[in-house]
Amino acid sequence: MYDNLKSPGRNDECWCGSGRKYKKCHLDFDERLQSLYEQGFEVPQRSLLKTPEEIEGIKRSAAINIGVLDLVAERIGAGVSTEEIDKWIYDYTVEHGGIPADLDYEGYPKSVCTSINEVVCHGIPSPDDVLKDGDIVNVDCSTILDGYYSDSSRMFCIGEVSDEKRRLVEETKKALEAGLAAVKPWGLLGDVGAAVHEYAHAQGFSVVREFGGHGIGLEFHEDPFVSHVSEPGTGMVLAPGCCFTIEPMINMGSHDIDMTDPNGWTVRTADRKPSAQWEVQLVVTETGYELLSW
Ligand code: MF3
Ligand code: CO
């Protein structure tokens, strides 16, 4: 089969855990994926496809992730330090039985990433970073609940923000929405990033190439890598059950980034012009997609 795993017999139980016979469950699905594989398309490993039970688990995790970002939306404003935001997120997540996925992830020291203005991603919360009028900030939050991962991020405009920064924030969200509109069951992942890039480029903005979205669910970062500058007609087949993020980082100036911060994490635009990012998590369904976290 397409992923080197053996298939059950027609009358055996399906591999997906539904308890149904293979012929009544994933047989047609597997034949379709196998045929695409034989035509040379990149197809997802079966282990990446989420079962209904796993999707329910991810949704419970995402309920915390969405709740915590809603809380940030209520409280954020000028005079708040990113350290305070980190504490809100840690406390809310733990009170709801979750674990902040960022904390200790590959040595990351905090529970959330807070990326202000020219910071592209992985800004580390600090008592020294106090939000002020005119800032734009991305709050990128990820949660583990019962082993299930959720991940989403939003932008916040603090006080009176310049027209050009507000436009960057709004158009970055629309670029993400253009990517979502390209998510089609049995379509190709490359079409998603191509749609993001085309939209952002038409607005006069550039798209960060080094970072992208990712598969997610049973681990924080699973295959595939979701480029936001991909070529149409390329990439993995979006079989129903694929769960991944779309999270474009869009720059006002050049797409070049600077990764030389001594903390080993914080990424800035090379030209120090502002950058914005929104992130959602979704699962591909038989008819389209369902948003899981936002
Ligand atoms: N939340 C980020 C993502 O969207 C990952 C942050 S990893 C951290 O994939 F260690 F920096 F927190
Ligand atoms: Co992510």
Side-chain angles (χ1 to χ4, degrees):
M1 287 299 278
Y2 53 88
D3 64 359
N4 290 323
L5 291 179
K6 242 176 87 66
S7 282
R10 293 177 60 81
N11 289 313
D12 294 342
E13 219 180 273
C14 188
W15 53 262
C16 76
S18 65
R20 289 153 69 200
K21 288 188 176 177
Y22 185 48
K23 67 181 179 193
K24 298 246 176 216
C25 196
H26 272 85
L27 177 61
D28 290 348
F29 178 100
D30 280 348
E31 282 177 355
R32 187 164 181 181
L33 218 44
Q34 176 67 15
S35 145
L36 288 164
Y37 173 73
E38 284 166 12
Q39 290 167 56
F41 288 98
E42 191 185 322
V43 299
Q45 299 281 304
R46 227 172 296 184
S47 59
L48 291 178
L49 301 170
K50 305 298 181 278
T51 66
E53 187 193 338
E54 288 168 343
I55 292 166
E56 286 314 307
I58 295 168
K59 283 184 180 172
R60 287 193 296 276
S61 172
I64 300 176
N65 216 58
I66 294 163
V68 86
L69 283 170
D70 287 347
L71 181 80
V72 170
E74 281 169 26
R75 295 182 178 174
I76 200 166
V80 169
S81 74
T82 52
E83 178 85 5
E84 287 170 71
I85 297 172
D86 185 72
K87 187 168 163 31
W88 301 340
I89 286 169
Y90 179 84
D91 289 348
Y92 181 101
T93 304
V94 169
E95 276 163 22
H96 288 77
I99 302 166
D102 287 358
L103 192 57
D104 293 329
Y105 174 76
E106 294 186 1
Y108 187 77
K110 294 286 184 178
S111 297
V112 62
C113 297
T114 47
S115 301
I116 307 171
N117 298 328
E118 75 282 2
V119 176
V120 172
C121 63
H122 304 163
I124 302 177
S126 156
D128 300 334
D129 289 330
V130 178
L131 296 171
K132 54 182 194 316
D133 208 48
D135 283 341
I136 58 171
V137 58
N138 172 273
V139 179
D140 187 346
C141 190
S142 312
T143 300
I144 316 171
L145 181 72
D146 302 331
Y148 294 109
Y149 285 80
S150 53
D151 185 10
S152 52
S153 81
R154 302 183 198 166
M155 291 299 295
F156 299 98
C157 292
I158 307 300
E160 284 297 308
V161 166
S162 70
D163 287 348
E164 56 171 9
K165 274 179 158 177
R166 187 169 296 277
R167 194 172 81 85
L168 176 69
V169 169
E170 287 169 0
E171 297 297 350
T172 299
K173 190 171 194 183
K174 288 193 198 158
L176 164 57
E177 288 162 358
L180 279 172
V183 176
K184 305 272 190 247
W186 304 102
L188 293 177
L189 185 59
D191 291 344
V192 177
V196 171
H197 182 238
E198 191 191 340
Y199 185 88
H201 194 248
Q203 309 313 312
F205 298 134
S206 67
V207 180
V208 171
R209 317 178 86 81
E210 293 84 347
F211 294 91
H214 48 94
I216 177 168
L218 307 186
E219 287 177 58
F220 196 170
H221 295 110
E222 301 174 353
D223 281 340
F225 173 69
V226 180
S227 168
H228 304 107
V229 292
S230 43
E231 291 297 322
T234 66
M236 195 186 78
V237 172
L238 297 175
C242 288
C243 181
F244 60 93
T245 70
I246 305 178
E247 49 179 308
M249 301 166 197
I250 309 283
N251 296 349
M252 195 181 284
S254 143
H255 65 72
D256 291 322
I257 58 173
D258 171 2
M259 300 212 281
T260 60
D261 191 297
N263 71 23
W265 285 101
T266 303
V267 179
R268 293 181 177 78
T269 55
D271 59 15
R272 297 299 190 263
K273 291 189 179 165
S275 182
Q277 179 184 24
W278 294 81
E279 175 178 16
V280 298
Q281 177 178 353
L282 62 91
V283 62
V284 180
T285 65
E286 298 286 345
T287 51
Y289 65 86
E290 184 180 0
L291 284 182
L292 300 177
S293 192
W294 57 84

